[in-house]
Amino acid sequence: MNPEKFFTVGPGWAVLITDLGLAPANVLRRAGLPGDLLARGRVALPPEKFFALAKAVEDEVGEPNLPILIARSVSAEAFDPAIFAAICSRDLNQAAVRIAQYKKLIGPMRLLVTQSDRETTLECRWPSGLRPPALLAITELLFWVALVRLATRVEVKPVRVLASEPPEDVDAYRDYLGVAVQEGPRQCIAFSAVDASRPFLTANEPMWEFLETALRGRLAEMNEAATTSDRVRGALLELLPAGQGFIQEVSEALGVSPRTLQRRLQGERVSFRSLLNETRRDLALHYLRNSHMHVGEISFLLGFHDTNSFSRAFHDWTGATPRQARVALRGEQGI
């Protein structure tokens, strides 16, 4: 199997199901999964089955405000190692970057992190063509509030929460979050720069170093069987914001020569240029939607020599100028 298409169900699921007062066998039966699944330790599921497990928990509880119950029950012992490692971070900014790096070890979602002098924005990206259960989508957002409150012992409130399917009980979520969940095209949560840099009382660098070794090993195992295209996209997501992203730099990051990289991509019937453009487009849209950076700054981050070159390329990708796109995207979010 291709590990890029399978996601881990760890011990935290058994803890969560038990804490909710559910019978694991009933949840697994409803999800169409083997009855002994949670007793096998760490197992991998495709996105469809992963979502089915989350939906089964939602249906078994029958509580529309279940994400709030889950957030209130968050505890360190229920965390997956990747998340437990993040709680050892110095603050939310560092924790988000660490979770984003290892998120694919936890579940079928990518996390995009944008930091500015005003706020830190976290955006959930789900597999293309698949719609996560409403429970899972909202819980992912509430998790960040629960995490920062647990780590700082401060009742931190986000400045903005967006969801494509806002919960029906508006008041309950406003009471928990401190702000209303607004309807938007994507799952997104933002914290003020002050709260995002608020020190974690749980910071533990030696523990992080210990856990990171195991996480790197698991990620390496997953990447060994990943497609070259997926590995190139992952490298570009890390390199482009640093002003890098040429094939030489990507090749070095992946430990192969540019010629070998091009040959492997040709075998997958894709070009490095097309992957670079797709990743630049996705990052450009992300920055325009979730940051206040000038077009010139975004152009620089994406490796363009000048703003005009970026604007022409962006128009080719989307049919709009960066400024037009920003107005439209932020209008969709009600910002």
Side-chain angles (χ1 to χ4, degrees), residues 8-12 42 76-85 105-106 215 218:
T8 300
V9 175
R42 196 169 298 281
E77 62 267 22
F79 285 164
D80 182 278
I83 300 175
F84 185 76
L105 295 176
I106 308 169
L215 293 172
R218 285 171 54 191

Side-chain angles (χ1 to χ4, degrees), residues 74-76 79 81-91 95 98-99 146-148 150-153 200-204 207-208 211:
V74 163
S75 59
F79 285 164
I83 300 175
F84 185 76
I87 205 173
C88 297
S89 305
R90 65 172 179 269
D91 55 27
R98 287 174 172 177
I99 290 182
L147 175 71
V148 70
L150 176 67
T152 64
R153 298 304 195 269
F200 277 15
L201 302 180
T202 52
N204 189 329
M207 178 63 74
W208 160 254
L211 291 169

Side-chain angles (χ1 to χ4, degrees), residues 168-185:
E168 294 182 4
D169 193 341
V170 177
D171 292 338
Y173 283 84
R174 184 189 291 112
D175 288 344
Y176 177 75
L177 293 167
V179 297
V181 180
Q182 303 174 39
E183 185 174 0

Side-chain angles (χ1 to χ4, degrees), residues 123-276:
E123 180 181 336
C124 303
R125 289 285 185 88
W126 305 95
S128 178
L130 290 177
R131 189 173 186 174
L135 158 75
L136 190 59
I138 295 295
T139 300
E140 283 286 347
L141 299 179
L142 267 60
F143 160 77
W144 291 103
V145 178
L147 175 71
V148 70
R149 290 176 180 175
L150 176 67
T152 64
R153 298 304 195 269
V154 173
E155 200 71 4
V156 170
K157 299 176 181 179
V159 296
R160 184 171 64 258
V161 181
L162 303 176
S164 56
E165 295 182 69
E168 294 182 4
D169 193 341
V170 177
D171 292 338
Y173 283 84
R174 184 189 291 112
D175 288 344
Y176 177 75
L177 293 167
V179 297
V181 180
Q182 303 174 39
E183 185 174 0
R186 299 183 186 279
Q187 265 67 42
C188 174
I189 187 166
F191 294 88
S192 70
V194 171
D195 286 333
S197 60
R198 193 180 294 275
F200 277 15
L201 302 180
T202 52
N204 189 329
E205 195 61 24
M207 178 63 74
W208 160 254
E209 293 173 358
F210 172 77
L211 291 169
E212 187 185 25
T213 300
L215 293 172
R216 283 187 179 277
R218 285 171 54 191
L219 196 61
E221 291 175 2
M222 176 177 283
N223 287 337
E224 282 180 4
T227 65
T228 301
S229 299
D230 286 334
R231 298 185 67 199
V232 167
R233 288 190 187 93
L236 285 170
L237 284 171
E238 294 181 8
L239 292 170
L240 282 171
Q244 302 175 333
F246 294 105
I247 191 168
Q248 181 65 42
E249 295 161 336
V250 172
S251 299
E252 291 177 0
L254 299 182
V256 298
S257 69
R259 180 174 296 180
T260 298
L261 180 60
Q262 289 179 321
R263 186 177 66 252
R264 291 178 180 176
L265 289 175
Q266 287 173 357
E268 296 176 10
R269 297 183 179 181
V270 67
S271 69
F272 178 81
R273 173 58 58 181
S274 67
L275 293 174
L276 175 61

Side-chain angles (χ1 to χ4, degrees), residues 9-37:
V9 175
W13 277 90
V15 175
L16 170 64
I17 290 171
T18 301
D19 284 350
L20 290 172
L22 304 177
N26 293 343
V27 173
L28 294 170
R29 187 182 308 112
R30 186 185 287 269
L33 295 168
D36 65 342
L37 183 81

